Amino acid sequence: APAILSAVLDVEIMAKYVLPEEKKLETSVEEIIVAVKQKQLMATSFHPEITGDNRWHALFVKMASECAPYDAIDEKAKTEATKTEIGLINPGGLPVFTDNVVAGPAYK
């Protein structure tokens, strides 16, 4: 699995994993970073969706509810995004996908 070995000052380290003794000897690393947050971006090096712990999901939902759509994207990036094949229906809002595979019977 991927691991984060270091983070710059404005990145909040949210979780670490202490390596087992045999891995410490192999790598000379004591622990690895497994979750980080920077402003409204969060990254993990594990799959929180397959754990029984829903705190990561609750945090993600809380973070999403506190930020404006595309808040971290500058105007030039928004303009460029509207030119892509996805095409933002409402620049500054969330993209709307009309693919019937996503909107098909399984989601009714």
Side-chain angles (χ1 to χ4, degrees), residues 66-87:
E66 292 173 348
C67 68
Y70 296 99
D71 195 29
I73 301 175
D74 63 28
E75 288 302 317
K76 181 179 177 195
K78 287 180 194 176
T79 302
E80 288 301 312
T82 61
K83 297 176 187 175
T84 67
E85 63 186 54
I86 293 174

Side-chain angles (χ1 to χ4, degrees), residues 54-101:
N54 68 358
R55 290 177 295 172
W56 292 105
H57 297 89
L59 175 60
F60 178 77
V61 169
K62 180 180 182 298
M63 287 171 57
S65 72
E66 292 173 348
C67 68
Y70 296 99
D71 195 29
I73 301 175
D74 63 28
E75 288 302 317
K76 181 179 177 195
K78 287 180 194 176
T79 302
E80 288 301 312
T82 61
K83 297 176 187 175
T84 67
E85 63 186 54
I86 293 174
L88 298 177
I89 304 294
N90 176 13
L94 294 174
V96 176
F97 299 95
T98 56
D99 186 332
N100 61 4
V101 173

Side-chain angles (χ1 to χ4, degrees), residues 24-37:
K24 288 179 187 178
L25 294 173
E26 286 176 25
T27 63
S28 72
V29 174
E30 294 282 321
E31 61 188 14
I32 55 173
I33 302 166
V34 294
V36 292
K37 179 178 175 267

Side-chain angles (χ1 to χ4, degrees), residues 11-12 14 36-43 60 63 67 72:
V11 173
E12 177 185 349
M14 301 177 67
V36 292
K37 179 178 175 267
Q38 184 180 32
K39 297 182 182 175
Q40 69 268 37
L41 302 176
M42 180 171 55
F60 178 77
M63 287 171 57
C67 68

